[in-house]
Amino acid sequence: MSRDLTKEEQQNFAEMYGTGTRCVSCGNEDVTVKIWEKYGTNAAEIGGDITSSGIIGAMVTCDACEHAETVARARLLEAS
């Protein structure tokens, strides 16, 4: 299951993983961060665990140009 992060969660995500605040293609700051949670965690809930203990994947998609960037699993693991 996946879900989009709230704007507040996006800020926390950016601090943890160094991405998710703007599009790497056009620089637009209106992006959607979608996460996929680990089974059995609360990451599917707003305010849930979005550390590498709670999620298995993430994608940042630009709301303007629709460019999408997958956040590498290695990057998620390095941040923990």
Side-chain angles (χ1 to χ4, degrees):
M1 174 102 49
S2 66
R3 74 171 179 96
D4 296 346
L5 297 182
T6 65
K7 289 295 180 188
E8 182 178 294
E9 289 175 311
Q10 283 184 12
Q11 287 297 339
N12 293 338
F13 184 89
E15 290 172 14
M16 283 188 267
Y17 304 114
T19 190
T21 58
R22 67 180 60 233
C23 175
V24 296
S25 181
C26 74
N28 181 40
E29 293 183 357
D30 294 323
V31 297
T32 299
V33 179
K34 182 177 289 292
I35 61 163
W36 284 263
E37 76 275 3
K38 284 185 179 178
Y39 182 76
T41 68
N42 69 349
E45 302 168 14
I46 293 175
D49 181 10
I50 61 171
T51 67
S52 62
S53 297
I55 65 174
I56 59 169
M59 179 180 287
V60 180
T61 305
C62 179
D63 295 342
C65 75
E66 299 181 359
H67 176 267
E69 169 192 12
T70 302
V71 181
R73 180 76 181 134
R75 186 176 197 173
L76 296 175
L77 292 172
E78 288 171 1
S80 59

PDB file of all heavy atoms in Angstrom, residues 4 19-20 22-28 30-34 36 58-72 75:
ATOM      1  N   ASP A   4       0.431   9.379  -0.076  1.00  0.00           N
ATOM      2  CA  ASP A   4       1.157  10.635  -0.259  1.00  0.00           C
ATOM      3  C   ASP A   4       1.390  11.275   1.098  1.00  0.00           C
ATOM      4  O   ASP A   4       0.501  11.283   1.958  1.00  0.00           O
ATOM      5  CB  ASP A   4       0.347  11.594  -1.136  1.00  0.00           C
ATOM      6  CG  ASP A   4       0.138  11.067  -2.542  1.00  0.00           C
ATOM      7  OD1 ASP A   4       0.829  10.110  -2.935  1.00  0.00           O
ATOM      8  OD2 ASP A   4      -0.725  11.623  -3.247  1.00  0.00           O
ATOM      9  N   THR A  19      15.925  14.865   0.045  1.00  0.00           N
ATOM     10  CA  THR A  19      15.172  15.025  -1.195  1.00  0.00           C
ATOM     11  C   THR A  19      13.703  15.225  -0.854  1.00  0.00           C
ATOM     12  O   THR A  19      13.282  14.966   0.266  1.00  0.00           O
ATOM     13  CB  THR A  19      15.354  13.811  -2.123  1.00  0.00           C
ATOM     14  OG1 THR A  19      14.791  14.101  -3.397  1.00  0.00           O
ATOM     15  CG2 THR A  19      14.738  12.555  -1.553  1.00  0.00           C
ATOM     16  N   GLY A  20      12.944  15.704  -1.849  1.00  0.00           N
ATOM     17  CA  GLY A  20      11.510  15.831  -1.648  1.00  0.00           C
ATOM     18  C   GLY A  20      11.009  17.248  -1.470  1.00  0.00           C
ATOM     19  O   GLY A  20       9.835  17.450  -1.203  1.00  0.00           O
ATOM     20  N   ARG A  22      11.849  19.823  -3.871  1.00  0.00           N
ATOM     21  CA  ARG A  22      11.691  20.431  -5.200  1.00  0.00           C
ATOM     22  C   ARG A  22      11.995  19.410  -6.285  1.00  0.00           C
ATOM     23  O   ARG A  22      12.663  18.416  -6.042  1.00  0.00           O
ATOM     24  CB  ARG A  22      12.573  21.659  -5.360  1.00  0.00           C
ATOM     25  CG  ARG A  22      14.057  21.385  -5.376  1.00  0.00           C
ATOM     26  CD  ARG A  22      14.919  22.638  -5.534  1.00  0.00           C
ATOM     27  NE  ARG A  22      14.673  23.550  -4.451  1.00  0.00           N
ATOM     28  CZ  ARG A  22      14.342  24.845  -4.627  1.00  0.00           C
ATOM     29  NH1 ARG A  22      14.273  25.357  -5.807  1.00  0.00           N
ATOM     30  NH2 ARG A  22      14.111  25.614  -3.589  1.00  0.00           N
ATOM     31  N   CYS A  23      11.520  19.712  -7.482  1.00  0.00           N
ATOM     32  CA  CYS A  23      11.753  18.838  -8.633  1.00  0.00           C
ATOM     33  C   CYS A  23      13.214  18.956  -9.075  1.00  0.00           C
ATOM     34  O   CYS A  23      13.727  20.062  -9.231  1.00  0.00           O
ATOM     35  CB  CYS A  23      10.816  19.243  -9.773  1.00  0.00           C
ATOM     36  SG  CYS A  23      11.076  18.344 -11.308  1.00  0.00           S
ATOM     37  N   VAL A  24      13.855  17.841  -9.296  1.00  0.00           N
ATOM     38  CA  VAL A  24      15.243  17.859  -9.756  1.00  0.00           C
ATOM     39  C   VAL A  24      15.340  18.247 -11.222  1.00  0.00           C
ATOM     40  O   VAL A  24      16.403  18.631 -11.695  1.00  0.00           O
ATOM     41  CB  VAL A  24      15.964  16.511  -9.513  1.00  0.00           C
ATOM     42  CG1 VAL A  24      16.069  16.210  -8.030  1.00  0.00           C
ATOM     43  CG2 VAL A  24      15.290  15.379 -10.248  1.00  0.00           C
ATOM     44  N   SER A  25      14.222  18.187 -11.947  1.00  0.00           N
ATOM     45  CA  SER A  25      14.224  18.521 -13.365  1.00  0.00           C
ATOM     46  C   SER A  25      13.966  20.006 -13.616  1.00  0.00           C
ATOM     47  O   SER A  25      14.735  20.664 -14.311  1.00  0.00           O
ATOM     48  CB  SER A  25      13.172  17.679 -14.090  1.00  0.00           C
ATOM     49  OG  SER A  25      13.165  17.961 -15.469  1.00  0.00           O
ATOM     50  N   CYS A  26      12.872  20.556 -13.043  1.00  0.00           N
ATOM     51  CA  CYS A  26      12.507  21.948 -13.333  1.00  0.00           C
ATOM     52  C   CYS A  26      12.647  22.891 -12.145  1.00  0.00           C
ATOM     53  O   CYS A  26      12.517  24.100 -12.301  1.00  0.00           O
ATOM     54  CB  CYS A  26      11.078  22.019 -13.889  1.00  0.00           C
ATOM     55  SG  CYS A  26       9.779  21.753 -12.660  1.00  0.00           S
ATOM     56  N   GLY A  27      12.890  22.357 -10.942  1.00  0.00           N
ATOM     57  CA  GLY A  27      13.076  23.192  -9.760  1.00  0.00           C
ATOM     58  C   GLY A  27      11.788  23.594  -9.060  1.00  0.00           C
ATOM     59  O   GLY A  27      11.824  24.269  -8.037  1.00  0.00           O
ATOM     60  N   ASN A  28      10.643  23.186  -9.582  1.00  0.00           N
ATOM     61  CA  ASN A  28       9.359  23.513  -8.968  1.00  0.00           C
ATOM     62  C   ASN A  28       9.304  22.960  -7.545  1.00  0.00           C
ATOM     63  O   ASN A  28       9.752  21.846  -7.290  1.00  0.00           O
ATOM     64  CB  ASN A  28       8.224  22.917  -9.812  1.00  0.00           C
ATOM     65  CG  ASN A  28       6.861  23.225  -9.246  1.00  0.00           C
ATOM     66  OD1 ASN A  28       6.607  24.323  -8.772  1.00  0.00           O
ATOM     67  ND2 ASN A  28       5.971  22.250  -9.311  1.00  0.00           N
ATOM     68  N   ASP A  30       6.464  22.515  -5.843  1.00  0.00           N
ATOM     69  CA  ASP A  30       5.220  21.780  -5.627  1.00  0.00           C
ATOM     70  C   ASP A  30       5.420  20.341  -6.088  1.00  0.00           C
ATOM     71  O   ASP A  30       5.348  20.037  -7.275  1.00  0.00           O
ATOM     72  CB  ASP A  30       4.066  22.421  -6.409  1.00  0.00           C
ATOM     73  CG  ASP A  30       3.725  23.803  -5.893  1.00  0.00           C
ATOM     74  OD1 ASP A  30       3.783  24.004  -4.666  1.00  0.00           O
ATOM     75  OD2 ASP A  30       3.420  24.681  -6.716  1.00  0.00           O
ATOM     76  N   VAL A  31       5.713  19.475  -5.123  1.00  0.00           N
ATOM     77  CA  VAL A  31       5.961  18.067  -5.424  1.00  0.00           C
ATOM     78  C   VAL A  31       5.083  17.188  -4.548  1.00  0.00           C
ATOM     79  O   VAL A  31       4.608  17.614  -3.489  1.00  0.00           O
ATOM     80  CB  VAL A  31       7.446  17.672  -5.233  1.00  0.00           C
ATOM     81  CG1 VAL A  31       8.353  18.415  -6.186  1.00  0.00           C
ATOM     82  CG2 VAL A  31       7.886  17.878  -3.798  1.00  0.00           C
ATOM     83  N   THR A  32       4.885  15.972  -4.993  1.00  0.00           N
ATOM     84  CA  THR A  32       4.191  14.958  -4.218  1.00  0.00           C
ATOM     85  C   THR A  32       5.202  13.892  -3.844  1.00  0.00           C
ATOM     86  O   THR A  32       5.963  13.427  -4.691  1.00  0.00           O
ATOM     87  CB  THR A  32       3.051  14.318  -5.048  1.00  0.00           C
ATOM     88  OG1 THR A  32       2.117  15.344  -5.399  1.00  0.00           O
ATOM     89  CG2 THR A  32       2.352  13.227  -4.271  1.00  0.00           C
ATOM     90  N   VAL A  33       5.231  13.544  -2.560  1.00  0.00           N
ATOM     91  CA  VAL A  33       6.100  12.465  -2.097  1.00  0.00           C
ATOM     92  C   VAL A  33       5.209  11.286  -1.735  1.00  0.00           C
ATOM     93  O   VAL A  33       4.350  11.394  -0.862  1.00  0.00           O
ATOM     94  CB  VAL A  33       6.957  12.884  -0.891  1.00  0.00           C
ATOM     95  CG1 VAL A  33       7.827  11.721  -0.425  1.00  0.00           C
ATOM     96  CG2 VAL A  33       7.817  14.093  -1.221  1.00  0.00           C
ATOM     97  N   LYS A  34       5.385  10.197  -2.439  1.00  0.00           N
ATOM     98  CA  LYS A  34       4.615   8.974  -2.203  1.00  0.00           C
ATOM     99  C   LYS A  34       5.538   7.959  -1.550  1.00  0.00           C
ATOM    100  O   LYS A  34       6.673   7.774  -1.987  1.00  0.00           O
ATOM    101  CB  LYS A  34       4.072   8.422  -3.515  1.00  0.00           C
ATOM    102  CG  LYS A  34       3.218   7.164  -3.348  1.00  0.00           C
ATOM    103  CD  LYS A  34       2.652   6.690  -4.653  1.00  0.00           C
ATOM    104  CE  LYS A  34       1.574   7.595  -5.185  1.00  0.00           C
ATOM    105  NZ  LYS A  34       0.321   7.638  -4.450  1.00  0.00           N
ATOM    106  N   TRP A  36       5.885   3.909   0.270  1.00  0.00           N
ATOM    107  CA  TRP A  36       5.358   2.556   0.405  1.00  0.00           C
ATOM    108  C   TRP A  36       5.834   2.044   1.755  1.00  0.00           C
ATOM    109  O   TRP A  36       7.038   2.045   2.041  1.00  0.00           O
ATOM    110  CB  TRP A  36       5.865   1.659  -0.722  1.00  0.00           C
ATOM    111  CG  TRP A  36       5.169   1.925  -2.004  1.00  0.00           C
ATOM    112  CD1 TRP A  36       4.098   1.230  -2.505  1.00  0.00           C
ATOM    113  CD2 TRP A  36       5.455   2.950  -2.957  1.00  0.00           C
ATOM    114  NE1 TRP A  36       3.706   1.775  -3.699  1.00  0.00           N
ATOM    115  CE2 TRP A  36       4.521   2.837  -4.010  1.00  0.00           C
ATOM    116  CE3 TRP A  36       6.391   3.982  -3.030  1.00  0.00           C
ATOM    117  CZ2 TRP A  36       4.507   3.687  -5.095  1.00  0.00           C
ATOM    118  CZ3 TRP A  36       6.378   4.840  -4.117  1.00  0.00           C
ATOM    119  CH2 TRP A  36       5.445   4.679  -5.136  1.00  0.00           C
ATOM    120  N   ALA A  58      10.092   5.102  -1.851  1.00  0.00           N
ATOM    121  CA  ALA A  58       9.527   6.440  -1.964  1.00  0.00           C
ATOM    122  C   ALA A  58       9.773   6.984  -3.370  1.00  0.00           C
ATOM    123  O   ALA A  58      10.741   6.609  -4.029  1.00  0.00           O
ATOM    124  CB  ALA A  58      10.158   7.378  -0.933  1.00  0.00           C
ATOM    125  N   MET A  59       8.871   7.879  -3.781  1.00  0.00           N
ATOM    126  CA  MET A  59       8.987   8.517  -5.090  1.00  0.00           C
ATOM    127  C   MET A  59       8.586   9.979  -4.938  1.00  0.00           C
ATOM    128  O   MET A  59       7.633  10.300  -4.234  1.00  0.00           O
ATOM    129  CB  MET A  59       8.076   7.840  -6.104  1.00  0.00           C
ATOM    130  CG  MET A  59       8.119   8.465  -7.483  1.00  0.00           C
ATOM    131  SD  MET A  59       7.024   7.628  -8.635  1.00  0.00           S
ATOM    132  CE  MET A  59       7.953   6.129  -8.888  1.00  0.00           C
ATOM    133  N   VAL A  60       9.342  10.864  -5.597  1.00  0.00           N
ATOM    134  CA  VAL A  60       9.042  12.285  -5.614  1.00  0.00           C
ATOM    135  C   VAL A  60       8.588  12.636  -7.027  1.00  0.00           C
ATOM    136  O   VAL A  60       9.313  12.393  -7.989  1.00  0.00           O
ATOM    137  CB  VAL A  60      10.275  13.130  -5.224  1.00  0.00           C
ATOM    138  CG1 VAL A  60       9.949  14.613  -5.256  1.00  0.00           C
ATOM    139  CG2 VAL A  60      10.809  12.717  -3.855  1.00  0.00           C
ATOM    140  N   THR A  61       7.371  13.189  -7.150  1.00  0.00           N
ATOM    141  CA  THR A  61       6.807  13.536  -8.447  1.00  0.00           C
ATOM    142  C   THR A  61       6.492  15.028  -8.479  1.00  0.00           C
ATOM    143  O   THR A  61       5.864  15.553  -7.561  1.00  0.00           O
ATOM    144  CB  THR A  61       5.512  12.742  -8.716  1.00  0.00           C
ATOM    145  OG1 THR A  61       5.787  11.359  -8.581  1.00  0.00           O
ATOM    146  CG2 THR A  61       4.984  13.020 -10.108  1.00  0.00           C
ATOM    147  N   CYS A  62       6.918  15.692  -9.547  1.00  0.00           N
ATOM    148  CA  CYS A  62       6.677  17.121  -9.720  1.00  0.00           C
ATOM    149  C   CYS A  62       5.221  17.350 -10.119  1.00  0.00           C
ATOM    150  O   CYS A  62       4.713  16.696 -11.028  1.00  0.00           O
ATOM    151  CB  CYS A  62       7.605  17.680 -10.789  1.00  0.00           C
ATOM    152  SG  CYS A  62       7.367  19.446 -11.095  1.00  0.00           S
ATOM    153  N   ASP A  63       4.567  18.295  -9.449  1.00  0.00           N
ATOM    154  CA  ASP A  63       3.184  18.614  -9.770  1.00  0.00           C
ATOM    155  C   ASP A  63       3.076  19.484 -11.022  1.00  0.00           C
ATOM    156  O   ASP A  63       1.992  19.621 -11.573  1.00  0.00           O
ATOM    157  CB  ASP A  63       2.516  19.326  -8.594  1.00  0.00           C
ATOM    158  CG  ASP A  63       2.396  18.427  -7.364  1.00  0.00           C
ATOM    159  OD1 ASP A  63       2.508  17.198  -7.497  1.00  0.00           O
ATOM    160  OD2 ASP A  63       2.190  18.980  -6.260  1.00  0.00           O
ATOM    161  N   ALA A  64       4.194  20.045 -11.492  1.00  0.00           N
ATOM    162  CA  ALA A  64       4.170  20.913 -12.674  1.00  0.00           C
ATOM    163  C   ALA A  64       4.555  20.158 -13.949  1.00  0.00           C
ATOM    164  O   ALA A  64       3.788  20.100 -14.903  1.00  0.00           O
ATOM    165  CB  ALA A  64       5.093  22.111 -12.481  1.00  0.00           C
ATOM    166  N   CYS A  65       5.738  19.547 -13.945  1.00  0.00           N
ATOM    167  CA  CYS A  65       6.226  18.900 -15.172  1.00  0.00           C
ATOM    168  C   CYS A  65       6.052  17.385 -15.157  1.00  0.00           C
ATOM    169  O   CYS A  65       6.364  16.718 -16.130  1.00  0.00           O
ATOM    170  CB  CYS A  65       7.686  19.266 -15.436  1.00  0.00           C
ATOM    171  SG  CYS A  65       8.893  18.421 -14.376  1.00  0.00           S
ATOM    172  N   GLU A  66       5.601  16.845 -14.027  1.00  0.00           N
ATOM    173  CA  GLU A  66       5.341  15.417 -13.849  1.00  0.00           C
ATOM    174  C   GLU A  66       6.593  14.541 -13.886  1.00  0.00           C
ATOM    175  O   GLU A  66       6.494  13.317 -13.996  1.00  0.00           O
ATOM    176  CB  GLU A  66       4.296  14.913 -14.838  1.00  0.00           C
ATOM    177  CG  GLU A  66       2.965  15.602 -14.661  1.00  0.00           C
ATOM    178  CD  GLU A  66       1.903  15.117 -15.615  1.00  0.00           C
ATOM    179  OE1 GLU A  66       2.169  14.239 -16.449  1.00  0.00           O
ATOM    180  OE2 GLU A  66       0.782  15.636 -15.514  1.00  0.00           O
ATOM    181  N   HIS A  67       7.772  15.149 -13.774  1.00  0.00           N
ATOM    182  CA  HIS A  67       8.998  14.363 -13.656  1.00  0.00           C
ATOM    183  C   HIS A  67       8.928  13.586 -12.339  1.00  0.00           C
ATOM    184  O   HIS A  67       8.464  14.101 -11.329  1.00  0.00           O
ATOM    185  CB  HIS A  67      10.222  15.291 -13.652  1.00  0.00           C
ATOM    186  CG  HIS A  67      11.497  14.561 -13.443  1.00  0.00           C
ATOM    187  ND1 HIS A  67      12.046  14.390 -12.185  1.00  0.00           N
ATOM    188  CD2 HIS A  67      12.335  13.950 -14.309  1.00  0.00           C
ATOM    189  CE1 HIS A  67      13.165  13.700 -12.299  1.00  0.00           C
ATOM    190  NE2 HIS A  67      13.363  13.428 -13.565  1.00  0.00           N
ATOM    191  N   ALA A  68       9.363  12.349 -12.340  1.00  0.00           N
ATOM    192  CA  ALA A  68       9.346  11.521 -11.137  1.00  0.00           C
ATOM    193  C   ALA A  68      10.731  10.969 -10.860  1.00  0.00           C
ATOM    194  O   ALA A  68      11.465  10.614 -11.780  1.00  0.00           O
ATOM    195  CB  ALA A  68       8.347  10.385 -11.287  1.00  0.00           C
ATOM    196  N   GLU A  69      11.063  10.923  -9.590  1.00  0.00           N
ATOM    197  CA  GLU A  69      12.359  10.422  -9.143  1.00  0.00           C
ATOM    198  C   GLU A  69      12.114   9.380  -8.052  1.00  0.00           C
ATOM    199  O   GLU A  69      11.464   9.666  -7.043  1.00  0.00           O
ATOM    200  CB  GLU A  69      13.179  11.576  -8.572  1.00  0.00           C
ATOM    201  CG  GLU A  69      14.429  11.169  -7.853  1.00  0.00           C
ATOM    202  CD  GLU A  69      15.058  12.307  -7.055  1.00  0.00           C
ATOM    203  OE1 GLU A  69      14.430  13.352  -6.869  1.00  0.00           O
ATOM    204  OE2 GLU A  69      16.198  12.114  -6.615  1.00  0.00           O
ATOM    205  N   THR A  70      12.608   8.181  -8.260  1.00  0.00           N
ATOM    206  CA  THR A  70      12.527   7.153  -7.239  1.00  0.00           C
ATOM    207  C   THR A  70      13.663   7.377  -6.255  1.00  0.00           C
ATOM    208  O   THR A  70      14.804   7.590  -6.658  1.00  0.00           O
ATOM    209  CB  THR A  70      12.661   5.750  -7.861  1.00  0.00           C
ATOM    210  OG1 THR A  70      11.623   5.589  -8.822  1.00  0.00           O
ATOM    211  CG2 THR A  70      12.564   4.666  -6.814  1.00  0.00           C
ATOM    212  N   VAL A  71      13.345   7.334  -4.970  1.00  0.00           N
ATOM    213  CA  VAL A  71      14.380   7.452  -3.944  1.00  0.00           C
ATOM    214  C   VAL A  71      14.950   6.052  -3.742  1.00  0.00           C
ATOM    215  O   VAL A  71      14.222   5.132  -3.364  1.00  0.00           O
ATOM    216  CB  VAL A  71      13.804   8.016  -2.631  1.00  0.00           C
ATOM    217  CG1 VAL A  71      14.900   8.162  -1.587  1.00  0.00           C
ATOM    218  CG2 VAL A  71      13.118   9.356  -2.881  1.00  0.00           C
ATOM    219  N   ALA A  72      16.217   5.905  -4.023  1.00  0.00           N
ATOM    220  CA  ALA A  72      16.863   4.586  -3.963  1.00  0.00           C
ATOM    221  C   ALA A  72      16.775   3.996  -2.558  1.00  0.00           C
ATOM    222  O   ALA A  72      16.905   4.704  -1.556  1.00  0.00           O
ATOM    223  CB  ALA A  72      18.330   4.703  -4.382  1.00  0.00           C
ATOM    224  N   ARG A  75      19.599   4.792  -0.378  1.00  0.00           N
ATOM    225  CA  ARG A  75      19.549   6.142   0.219  1.00  0.00           C
ATOM    226  C   ARG A  75      18.670   6.148   1.456  1.00  0.00           C
ATOM    227  O   ARG A  75      18.987   6.797   2.444  1.00  0.00           O
ATOM    228  CB  ARG A  75      19.011   7.131  -0.806  1.00  0.00           C
ATOM    229  CG  ARG A  75      19.048   8.562  -0.377  1.00  0.00           C
ATOM    230  CD  ARG A  75      18.598   9.453  -1.498  1.00  0.00           C
ATOM    231  NE  ARG A  75      18.992  10.819  -1.274  1.00  0.00           N
ATOM    232  CZ  ARG A  75      18.842  11.765  -2.154  1.00  0.00           C
ATOM    233  NH1 ARG A  75      18.328  11.503  -3.342  1.00  0.00           N
ATOM    234  NH2 ARG A  75      19.220  12.993  -1.890  1.00  0.00           N
TER     235      ARG A  75
END
